[in-house]
């Protein structure tokens, strides 16, 4: 996968993840172009389209569009399910996720994504394992809000 | 699950985000952001040291502002400070900021790398993962330099936690993609491959992406992964849906891993080991069988996951292209999907079938779905699906269904989306040419194309129809008649006028007998379009007019009047004015004979690859098209190569002064540069040298290669002269010969020439000429050219004089069937005795007079000198002037020599 974009029906970008090096200018251009293209498509249309030399796989969940750019030999259907699994993860973590959750907790959305996909490839597809990792991190931040782990370990 | 508004929530951040959301206008938003930026800046610059929490909060705000699309030019240092915080959340936000906003500020990178290094060696798995995620997200070269050596160690170490292994594998993949030279697997290779056997499914899922990428680049080193992948796949495919617990997705066991395994196998040919192959075929059959089973869930996720595996399995089957049974089953399965109610499946089925169409095993099976595909082209509501249907029709087209498919594509073209029209036009033109049984159908199709989608008919397409009409005399009359009729439409496309002007200018005489299309009627019809046309078309029409004067003397005065009019002879366009003046003068001073010679019918175009094909390939160059399609297209395109194809030159009438465009010369920037043919061998010049030793071997707009050569016994010396025809220097000029040669100067100044000497020794007889590869840079562009060096076996002939009696005695001695080679062929050149004699002498044999009882015949004798042996050869050439044919017979003491001489000579007369 080359990148993933989340944007609203109004065309507002909510999350962007780039797995290939691109300049900021290029990223903005791509985003503009794709948001426009995808929003212009009608509901019953197919979820795949050819775009430049990539394939775009997108799906709408409520007010949010999830849009992935994959390479020629990548599998469209499994990418569609990558999107779905990510939505499930967000849903489970936030409890009935909505767009607002992603706006106000954008950093969490990024953290969850990093546990699930890394470098554009599925790292861990088990829902349980991903959420366990995030939970552990959340626990860490609660435990260490007053003390750092290093202090714990190094002080006798 | 912990609620969201947890203790770590940054209230200040939430307030800020709310403020932004409440902004009524863009201006208000920018104002709010600028206020916040000023605030953060002052906090960062303030005297009071910020605590970790505040730093985190402000860095997070900056990140939010950046993600809104605003530029952020400060805060990096604070983010880097967070990296070395002991608090997990601070560290985490620091890493996130760096991952999103990294720039190649070397000072910072050093600090970041330092922090990463500390976390990697912390032995704290959560910290290690954060650091690895950051490397994977940034993936810069500096990071590769710092960590590419360390990460493989982490990946294979026995005590590394599973989650860290997963991150390490994908982190390494990212580094390999950006800096493959820095990621050296070496000693780790086998341990990495064995991660496919890991107990933890997540580790396998992550590692296989890395292994696949590495296998593509180093297939040999990683080939042990094939059998491991097959056994892993087999275990998953045969497992019950509950066996894999959380790795089962909507009742489908490990769909992601299955797809990745099938993808990895596509990096390799079918397994050689029978047992492995059997197991794999079994897996593929199981996957195909499962597609027929009733779904275990109505959820689309279930069917998507299942079908994702199915499509990947079909890709593998197509990749192997060796199991007819599986190919046909795949095709049937896709056939079912063609009518599925899910648009996504119809789309993928069309796409996948495109590649099946190019397999000999499944081509026929694909063809049975033609009606469904045509229907899809007509009724699909989504243009991207229609595009796939059009691609598939193109891929499944052959002689049996070409007329139907071309007709459907033509009718689709009338309503086709603008975005795909040009490509459709090219495809229709190619199919029409490739499968034309009668050329009148071809002409009709192309004229229809111009009528329906004139704007999208590129020059190559109309050049091509003219080339074909010129080269095929059986269609010229029909073409003239059809184009004449087409021009009578009140509004016709300019491309039609171009074709019309050219064809009537050449072949208008073929329909002039009919009073409805008499010469004057033809002329008036063409001229009625003149004022509506652009300059290039007008120029072409002027050329057509002068051709009319030659074809039909009765139109001379009318046309001269037109040429003489101010709007022509004083036209502000230089080209038009020049043509008008020159043609007027030519028509008034030249005698009929001279006129007839100058304006003679165009000779047939030399045959070469279709220019429209090159155009389609170029349009759909490697960067612009999916491999699947490219494969199909290539498959379709390769067999078209046999078709004759003249090259279009800018001025079809060839009357225009200027450097001649050499037919075979791929020139920089020319439309005809064929993107795929660069590796092809240019042997146009080769055959010209069979009977001579000196001359120009190759010439294009950049480069001229001249040859001087001399031979004695079995030795030869060849001088190659490379002339730069441009005013710019060629740099890094290299030539490689598949035999040894002295190096040539690497630089050729504009207008200059360099020389290369090749010494040749003939060791034994041979058929293949040595290949000379030439590479150089002109401007920025790399030019690559491969030529056959004209070294042929006959160069080593020693002529042998002998009397009639001796000749026939030896002739009889060489009577074994394989010693003789014979060819009967049509004369390509005038059958002039003196020319023939000169050529035979150039061949290197002795031309024996008064030997053959028939004085029309030629006989020759010679001995080929090779280091290994001497090969005596006798030759007899019998011209038949009446039939314009020759019979050539060669007898030699060695069969391969007879054969080769015969082949070489058959092209010479």
């Amino acid at each position: 996968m080359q990148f993933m974009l989340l944007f609203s029906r109004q065309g507002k970008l909510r999350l962007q993840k780039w797995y290939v090096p691109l300049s900021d200018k290029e990223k903005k251009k791509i985003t503009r172009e794709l948001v426009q293209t995808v929003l212009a498509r009608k509901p019953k249309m197919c979820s795949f389209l050819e775009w430049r030399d990539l394939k775009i796989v997108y799906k709408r969940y409520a007010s949010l569009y999830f849009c992935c750019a994959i390479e020629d030999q990548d599998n469209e259907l499994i990418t569609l399910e990558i999107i779905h699994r990510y939505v499930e993860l967000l849903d489970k973590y936030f409890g009935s996720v909505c767009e607002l959750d992603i706006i106000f907790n954008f950093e969490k959305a990024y953290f969850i994504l990093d546990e699930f996909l890394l470098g554009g490839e599925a790292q861990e597809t088990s829902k349980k394992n991903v959420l366990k990792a995030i939970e552990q991190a959340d626990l860490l931040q609660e435990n260490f809000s007053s003390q750092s782990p290093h202090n714990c370990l190094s002080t006798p | 699950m912990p609620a969201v508004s947890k203790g770590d929530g940054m209230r200040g951040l939430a307030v800020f985000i709310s403020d932004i959301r409440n902004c009524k206008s863009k201006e208000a938003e920018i104002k709010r952001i600028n206020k916040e930026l000023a605030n953060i800046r002052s906090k960062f610059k303030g005297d009071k040291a910020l605590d970790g929490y505040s730093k985190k909060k402000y860095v997070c705000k900056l990140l939010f502002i950046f993600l809104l699309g605003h530029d952020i030019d400060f805060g990096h240092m604070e983010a880097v400070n967070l990296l070395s915080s002991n608090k997990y959340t601070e560290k985490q936000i620091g890493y996130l900021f760096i991952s999103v906003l990294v720039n190649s500020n070397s000072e910072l990178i050093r600090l970041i790398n330092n922090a990463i290094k500390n976390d990697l060696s912390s032995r704290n798995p959560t910290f290690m993962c954060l650091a690895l995620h950051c490397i994977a997200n940034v993936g810069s070269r500096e990071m590769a330099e710092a960590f590419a050596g360390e990460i493989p160690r982490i990946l294979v170490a026995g005590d590394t936690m599973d989650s860290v292994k997963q991150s390490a594998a994908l982190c390494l993949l990212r580094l390999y993609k950006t800096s493959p030279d820095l990621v050296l697997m070496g000693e780790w290779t086998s341990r990495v491959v064995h991660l496919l056997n890991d107990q933890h499914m997540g580790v396998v899922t992550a590692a296989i992406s890395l292994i696949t990428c590495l296998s593509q680049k180093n297939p040999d080193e990683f080939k042990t992964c094939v059998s491991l992948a097959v056994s892993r796949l087999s275990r998953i495919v045969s497992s019950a849906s509950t066996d894999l617990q959380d790795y089962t997705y909507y009742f489908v066991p490990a769909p992601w891993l299955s797809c990745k395994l099938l993808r990895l196998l596509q990096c390799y040919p079918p397994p050689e080991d029978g047992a492995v192959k059997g197991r794999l075929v079994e897996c593929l059959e199981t996957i195909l069988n499962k597609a027929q089973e009733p779904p275990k869930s109505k959820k689309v996720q279930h069917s998507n996951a299942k079908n994702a595996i199915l499509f990947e399995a079909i890709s593998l089957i197509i990749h192997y292209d060796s199991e007819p049974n599986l190919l046909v089953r795949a095709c049937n399965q896709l056939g079912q999907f063609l009518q599925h109610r899910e648009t996504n499946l119809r789309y993928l089925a069309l796409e996948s079938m495109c590649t099946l169409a190019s397999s000999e095993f499944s081509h026929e099976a694909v063809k049975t779905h033609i009606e469904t595909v045509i229907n899809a082209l007509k009724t699909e509501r989504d243009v991207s699906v229609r595009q796939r249907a059009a691609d598939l029709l193109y891929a499944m087209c052959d002689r049996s269904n070409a007329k139907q498919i071309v007709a459907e594509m033509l009718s689709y073209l009338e309503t086709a989306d603008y975005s795909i029209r040009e490509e459709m036009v090219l495809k229709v033109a190619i199919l029409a040419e490739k499968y034309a049984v009668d050329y009148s159908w071809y002409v009709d199709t192309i004229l229809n194309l111009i009528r329906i989608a004139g704007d999208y008919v590129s020059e190559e397409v109309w050049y091509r129809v003219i080339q074909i009409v010129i080269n095929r005399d059986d269609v010229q009359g029909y073409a003239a008649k059809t184009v004449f009729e087409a021009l009578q439409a009140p509004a016709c496309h300019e491309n039609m006028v171009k074709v019309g002007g050219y064809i009537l200018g050449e072949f208008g005489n073929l329909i002039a007998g009919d009073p409805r299309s008499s010469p004057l009627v033809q002329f008036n019809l063409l001229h009625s379009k003149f004022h509506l046309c652009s300059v290039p078309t007008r120029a072409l029409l002027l050329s057509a007019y002068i051709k009319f004067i030659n074809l039909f003397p009765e139109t001379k005065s009318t046309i001269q009047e037109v040429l003489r009019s101010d709007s022509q002879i004083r036209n502000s366009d230089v080209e038009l004015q020049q043509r008008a003046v020159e043609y007027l003068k030519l028509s008034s001073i030249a005698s009929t004979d001279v006129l007839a010679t100058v304006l003679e019918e165009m000779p047939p175009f030399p045959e070469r690859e279709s220019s429209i094909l090159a155009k389609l390939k170029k349009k759909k160059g490697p960067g612009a098209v999916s491999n699947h399609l490219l494969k199909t297209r290539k498959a379709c395109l390769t067999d078209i190569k046999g078709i004759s194809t003249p090259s279009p030159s800018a001025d079809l009438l060839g009357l225009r002064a200027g450097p001649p465009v050499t037919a075979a010369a791929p020139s920089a920037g020319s439309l005809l540069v064929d993107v795929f043919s660069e590796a092809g061998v240019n042997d146009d010049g080769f055959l010209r040298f069979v009977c001579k030793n000196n001359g120009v071997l190759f010439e294009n707009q950049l480069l001229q290669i001249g040859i001087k050569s001399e031979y004695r016994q079995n030795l030869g010396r060849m001088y190659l002269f490379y002339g730069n025809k441009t005013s710019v220097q060629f740099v890094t000029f290299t030539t490689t010969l598949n035999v040894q040669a002295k190096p040539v100067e690497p630089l050729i100044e504009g207008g200059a020439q360099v020389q290369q000497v090749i010494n040749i020794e003939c060791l034994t007889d041979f058929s293949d000429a040595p290949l000379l590869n030439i590479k150089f840079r002109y401007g920025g562009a790399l030019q690559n050219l491969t030529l056959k060096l004209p070294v042929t076996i006959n160069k080593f002939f020693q002529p042998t004089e002998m009397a009639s009696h001796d000749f026939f005695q030896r002739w009889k001695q060489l009577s074994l069937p394989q010693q003789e080679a014979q060819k009967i062929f049509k004369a390509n050149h005038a059958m002039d005795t003196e020319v023939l004699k000169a050529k035979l002498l150039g061949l290197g044999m002795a031309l024996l007079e008064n030997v053959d009882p028939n004085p029309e015949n030629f006989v020759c004798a010679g001995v080929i000198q090779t280091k290994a042996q001497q090969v005596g050869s006798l030759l007899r050439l019998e011209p038949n002037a009446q039939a314009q044919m020759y019979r050539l017979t060669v007898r030699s003491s060695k069969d391969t020599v007879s054969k080769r001489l015969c082949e070489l000579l058959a092209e010479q007369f």
Side-chain angles (χ1 to χ4, degrees), chain A residues 53 72 88 93 123-124 126, chain B residues 6 167 246-247 250 623 626:
Chain A
D53 54 346
D72 170 57
E88 283 184 347
Y93 182 78
Q123 172 175 220
E124 177 54 84
S126 151
Chain B
K6 286 159 296 208
S167 299
D246 212 35
Y247 289 92
Y250 291 86
S626 66

Side-chain angles (χ1 to χ4, degrees), chain B residues 66 81 151 154 186 219 222 281 297 368 419 430 625 647 704 833 862 905:
Chain B
F66 177 79
N81 286 341
I151 299 173
I154 298 178
F222 282 82
V281 167
S297 155
T368 58
S419 52
I430 288 171
V625 74
S647 86
Q704 187 193 56
T833 311
L905 283 173

Side-chain angles (χ1 to χ4, degrees), chain A residues 28 41 46-47 50 53 72-73 75 81-82 84 88 93 121 123-124 126-129 141 148-149, chain B residues 6 8 69 86 89 166-167 209 246-247 249-250 256 263 301 304 308 312 344 382 388 623 626-627:
Chain A
K28 281 187 185 169
R41 291 177 62 85
C46 107
S47 312
E50 274 188 345
D53 54 346
D72 170 57
Q73 69 277 16
N75 189 312
E81 294 319 299
I82 282 197
H84 187 76
E88 283 184 347
Y93 182 78
E121 299 283 338
Q123 172 175 220
E124 177 54 84
S126 151
K127 195 153 62 171
K128 251 187 233 155
N129 290 353
Q141 62 195 42
S148 71
Chain B
K6 286 159 296 208
D8 73 296
N86 289 327
T89 49
Q166 286 167 278
S167 299
S209 297
D246 212 35
Y247 289 92
Y249 179 83
Y250 291 86
W256 285 280
R263 173 88 199 88
Q301 283 76 28
N304 277 352
E312 208 59 66
N344 288 345
D382 185 346
R388 291 286 83 79
S626 66
N627 246 340

Side-chain angles (χ1 to χ4, degrees), chain A residues 14 16-17 19-21 24 28 41 44-48 50 53 55 59 72-73 75-78 80-82 84-85 88 92-94 100 103-108 110-111 114-115 118 121-129 135 137-138 140-141 144-145 148-150, chain B residues 1-2 4 6 8 14 17-18 21 60 64 67 69 71 86-89 92-93 96 126-127 133 136-137 166-167 170 173-174 200 202 205-206 209 246-247 249-250 255-256 259-260 263 301 304 307-308 311-312 343-344 347-348 351 382 384 388 623 626-629:
Chain A
R14 295 304 181 201
Q16 45 177 318
K17 190 80 192 178
Y19 297 113
V20 284
D24 285 347
K28 281 187 185 169
R41 291 177 62 85
K44 285 277 170 189
M45 283 187 167
C46 107
S47 312
F48 319 125
E50 274 188 345
D53 54 346
K55 299 193 283 198
K59 186 160 181 178
D72 170 57
Q73 69 277 16
N75 189 312
E76 289 97 336
L77 285 174
I78 209 72
L80 213 45
E81 294 319 299
I82 282 197
H84 187 76
R85 174 110 295 181
E88 283 184 347
K92 193 86 181 180
Y93 182 78
F94 289 109
L100 278 183
I103 296 173
F104 280 95
N105 302 282
F106 67 94
E107 78 282 11
K108 294 283 183 216
Y110 279 96
F111 297 147
D114 270 355
E115 291 294 337
L118 194 61
E121 299 283 338
Q123 172 175 220
E124 177 54 84
T125 59
S126 151
K127 195 153 62 171
K128 251 187 233 155
N129 290 353
E135 247 174 273
D138 281 341
L140 272 182
Q141 62 195 42
F144 299 135
S145 45
S148 71
H150 272 255
Chain B
M1 190 56 31
V4 179
K6 286 159 296 208
D8 73 296
I17 295 176
S18 294
R21 286 180 51 75
C60 212
F64 181 78
L67 289 171
D71 293 335
N86 289 327
K87 293 187 183 160
Y88 180 77
T89 49
Q92 198 184 21
I93 294 292
L96 181 59
T126 6
F127 286 9
H133 290 180
N137 282 324
Q166 286 167 278
S167 299
L170 293 174
L173 169 63
R174 175 68 196 265
H200 191 279
T205 308
S209 297
D246 212 35
Y247 289 92
Y249 179 83
Y250 291 86
W256 285 280
C259 285
K260 286 186 181 194
R263 173 88 199 88
Q301 283 76 28
N304 277 352
N307 291 328
F311 275 107
E312 208 59 66
T343 315
N344 288 345
Y347 176 96
L348 295 175
E351 184 183 276
D382 185 346
S384 38
R388 291 286 83 79
S626 66
N627 246 340
H628 277 276
L629 287 174

